[in-house]
Amino acid sequence: MTEAEGKNADCALVVFGGAGDLTRRLLLPALLNLAAEGRLPEHFALVGFARTDLDDEAFRERLDTAVKEHGRKDLDPALWAALRPRVRWVRGNFDEPEAYERLAKTLSEVHAGPGSGACDLFYLACPPRFFADVATRLGAAGLAREGDGRSRRLVVEKPLGRDLASARELNQHLLEVFDEHQVFRIDHYLGKETVQNILAFRFANGIFEPIWNRRYVDSVQITVSETLGVEGRGDYYDRAGALRDMVPNHLFQVLTLIAMEPPSSLDAGAVRDEKGKVLRSIPTWSREQVSAMAVRAQYRDGRLASGREAPGYVEEPSIDPASRTETYAALRLKIDSWRWAGVPFYLRTGKRLKARRSEVVVRFRRAPLQLFRDTPVSGLASNQLVLRLQPREGIALRFEVKRPGLEMKLGRVDMDFCYSEYFGQTATTGYETLLRDAMRGDATLFQRADNVEEGWRVVQPVLDAWGAARDDAVATYPAGSQGPNEAEALLAREGRHWNPIE
Ligand code: BG6
């Protein structure tokens, strides 16, 4: 255990909405994985808080089932047996002051002692409409106060607002009670190894950084395509749509890691400063620019790659049949910086597409054709670096080679690195690193208030324009396809095309 971990060897994770799906499906398996690796603090306690009528033992029994269903197959039963007695339940409404008093009492019981070094981690796994209220009540109960070596942290996860104004309001509420250094805003994309690797790949290698700029890069594509539909989340999704759901958060995390300048250290402040600069270099769009640079579309019925027929979005359960919510969004962004001026960044994300694929494609400028003018070669393809975030996690470098034979003919080949071949399969949920970092107080992989707001600032003109055009017909694409033709046209106008989603 490192020095920093040692300091926080006494930690209570309080989950608001503890009886919900997130605890069962994600938090608990992640905690067990951490326990298996000996990475949980020595005195660790898990406290569930919600109005569900449970007590300590009933909550533990629920988790017994979750461990069976969602825990790793190779789980050592001793790990859960050791953790189980340190699981507690506090029953109460999120707006009930007495419940917070009961929580304070439970916390004083679960900590190893009153001494310094203890940490309370308040994880809001409750619906976002309660975020501000829970923070206020924690403050009123004295549970936001740090001192005598005790740390107190608040962990929240998207949606962090639904536009710039509500994101600002939420930040204000949270920061009235907690200091920024206590607030840990999760973006689960930052829990992914391949996303964390972008920083390592760019800055731990000497060969890429010199060409990582407008002199060598033609364009960048960031794709997060899913085969899933709304999967029972219609109520939330129909009010959110693809843009809000994915772009200012997950896609912008990837974008900023790809485009940022080298930070002065891996310190949270240094990394987040650089990410913020990228977002601040994206100009605010006018209404006309939105129509030219943003595409929205909705899936209609179609055939999935599996051969199954899938219904259209508006035929899905709990979706308004007249809904115009987009299930696909594509944007062409520019970053007005010395490094990137003139290089388009194309972003797209959508549900019910042909394949599940999250990747970044960095296309380099083409070599001049001149040398090949008297050969059968009629054009040169651009070299590409493809960072496969998921699935088939890895990195490929694409370049041209001479095809074996008597004539000068070229063929495109891949030099391919695949994570699982090198490192084997690792069973992680992505939440292990995030939870452990939050326990240790390392905020590098979490979002800072100003950056969250800056992300919303970038997409706000699109939300405004699409919101104002609610009666306009929305473009569609068949389920199981590459997405709408309009997105192809966005690139075709500039002589480029998307890499196929396969
Ligand atoms: C969530 C979105 O944040 O991310 C979902 O709300 C989406 O709609 C999911 O499906 C994608 O995450 P992943 O890790 O499966 O790429």
Side-chain angles (χ1 to χ4, degrees):
M1 188 171 277
T2 65
E3 196 192 340
E5 285 169 280
K7 275 194 206 145
N8 276 335
D10 183 357
C11 176
L13 173 63
V14 182
V15 186
F16 286 84
D21 198 42
L22 186 82
T23 318
R24 259 198 331 271
R25 266 187 324 106
L26 287 173
L27 294 183
L28 189 66
L31 289 173
L32 292 169
N33 285 342
L34 284 174
E37 290 177 20
R39 302 288 196 159
L40 271 190
E42 205 179 326
H43 297 282
F44 175 79
L46 174 65
V47 182
F49 181 121
R51 63 170 182 210
T52 318
D53 191 8
L54 297 176
D55 57 17
D56 294 345
E57 194 47 35
F59 184 40
R60 289 173 192 148
E61 278 165 18
R62 279 198 172 201
L63 297 187
D64 289 337
T65 320
V67 169
K68 277 192 210 114
E69 280 173 11
H70 302 289
R72 263 156 67 167
K73 297 281 166 287
D74 58 350
L75 176 75
D76 176 359
L79 284 172
W80 174 232
L83 204 58
R84 200 175 182 280
R86 289 189 251 143
V87 171
R88 303 287 299 270
W89 183 256
V90 175
R91 178 171 176 249
N93 285 326
F94 297 137
D95 61 355
E96 181 192 339
E98 299 75 34
Y100 290 79
E101 283 164 26
R102 289 198 292 279
L103 174 63
K105 184 164 168 292
T106 307
L107 285 175
S108 63
E109 288 162 14
V110 298
H111 282 300
S116 64
C119 164
D120 293 322
L121 204 62
F122 302 110
Y123 195 118
L124 306 197
C126 51
R129 64 178 185 282
F130 296 116
F131 286 178
D133 209 17
V134 173
T136 309
R137 306 271 169 190
L138 282 169
L143 289 171
R145 210 177 308 123
E146 296 193 299
D148 296 332
R150 177 180 292 258
S151 320
R152 288 197 153 120
R153 304 187 187 119
L154 187 75
V155 183
V156 284
E157 188 159 1
K158 75 176 259 276
L160 302 173
R162 50 176 286 108
D163 54 17
L164 178 57
S166 54
R168 277 191 182 141
E169 198 182 326
L170 175 64
N171 280 333
Q172 254 164 26
H173 275 300
L174 301 184
L175 296 175
E176 269 163 22
V177 185
F178 288 88
D179 188 76
E180 177 63 36
H181 82 270
Q182 296 175 277
V183 184
F184 286 66
R185 299 176 189 80
I186 288 195
D187 184 302
H188 84 275
Y189 262 59
L190 288 174
K192 293 182 193 286
E193 282 293 344
T194 47
V195 175
Q196 291 170 32
N197 179 55
I198 297 174
L199 210 65
F201 176 79
R202 284 192 55 199
F203 301 124
N205 295 297
I207 56 173
F208 302 111
E209 202 44 31
I211 55 171
W212 207 260
N213 58 52
R214 65 198 167 99
R215 292 180 62 194
Y216 298 95
V217 174
D218 165 79
S219 58
V220 176
Q221 297 182 10
I222 301 177
T223 298
V224 174
S225 80
E226 299 184 271
T227 50
L228 294 177
V230 284
E231 314 297 314
R233 294 162 73 225
D235 281 343
Y236 153 76
Y237 195 86
D238 204 36
R239 276 178 286 120
L243 184 71
R244 281 192 178 89
D245 188 42
M246 301 294 287
V247 177
N249 32 67
H250 309 324
L251 273 84
F252 280 5
Q253 289 302 334
V254 176
L255 171 75
T256 50
L257 287 167
I258 290 289
M260 73 196 273
E261 294 301 317
S264 57
S265 73
L266 288 181
D267 190 67
V271 172
R272 300 191 300 180
D273 283 349
E274 293 306 335
K275 289 167 88 175
K277 281 187 208 160
V278 173
L279 295 172
R280 281 194 290 279
S281 309
I282 302 176
T284 302
W285 282 344
S286 64
R287 189 60 68 83
E288 295 68 43
Q289 284 168 320
V290 173
S291 349
M293 305 210 216
V295 168
R296 62 169 163 164
Q298 191 183 72
Y299 64 82
R300 56 175 190 272
D301 57 338
R303 186 185 291 274
L304 306 182
S306 62
R308 184 164 73 81
E309 292 289 340
Y313 175 71
V314 290
E315 294 142 34
E316 300 265 20
S318 64
I319 301 297
D320 174 2
S323 171
R324 291 192 163 78
T325 300
E326 80 285 355
T327 58
Y328 180 103
L331 306 179
R332 180 215 194 272
L333 293 178
K334 62 177 184 178
I335 300 175
D336 265 345
S337 66
W338 276 86
R339 188 187 283 267
W340 295 118
V343 178
F345 282 73
Y346 302 108
L347 274 55
R348 65 178 162 170
T349 183
K351 295 212 180 276
R352 279 276 189 257
L353 292 168
K354 184 160 180 218
R356 173 168 178 257
R357 174 113 92 74
S358 294
E359 68 175 26
V360 180
V361 178
V362 180
R363 277 184 184 237
F364 293 93
R365 289 182 187 278
R366 287 197 183 96
L369 184 67
Q370 199 263 359
L371 188 64
F372 298 94
R373 66 184 179 276
D374 297 327
T375 71
V377 177
S378 57
L380 295 177
S382 48
N383 300 141
Q384 295 182 15
L385 187 75
V386 182
L387 301 160
R388 292 191 306 269
L389 307 179
Q390 65 185 26
R392 278 197 61 237
E393 290 77 0
I395 298 174
L397 185 62
R398 282 194 185 146
F399 48 88
E400 303 276 295
V401 295
K402 179 183 173 301
R403 282 179 185 279
L406 299 180
E407 291 181 314
M408 173 56 87
K409 286 191 178 163
L410 301 178
R412 199 167 83 171
V413 296
D414 275 10
M415 224 154 72
D416 204 336
F417 150 69
C418 195
Y419 266 83
S420 59
E421 279 168 24
Y422 271 76
F423 302 115
Q425 295 288 357
T426 45
T428 56
T429 64
Y431 275 78
E432 289 82 358
T433 317
L434 298 175
L435 279 176
R436 181 165 164 269
D437 285 359
M439 289 180 204
R440 297 188 319 160
D442 180 352
T444 312
L445 295 179
F446 296 83
Q447 306 186 74
R448 201 169 60 190
D450 57 333
N451 289 357
V452 170
E453 291 176 18
E454 205 54 39
W456 282 112
R457 195 267 306 160
V458 172
V459 298
Q460 188 63 51
V462 187
L463 294 173
D464 291 341
W466 289 357
R470 288 221 69 84
D471 295 335
D472 292 2
V474 174
T476 61
Y477 58 98
S481 71
Q482 295 280 332
N485 296 334
E486 288 76 358
E488 290 302 331
L490 184 71
L491 271 69
R493 281 204 298 272
E494 303 184 336
R496 299 189 179 89
H497 57 270
W498 294 102
N499 276 20
I501 298 171
E502 299 167 327

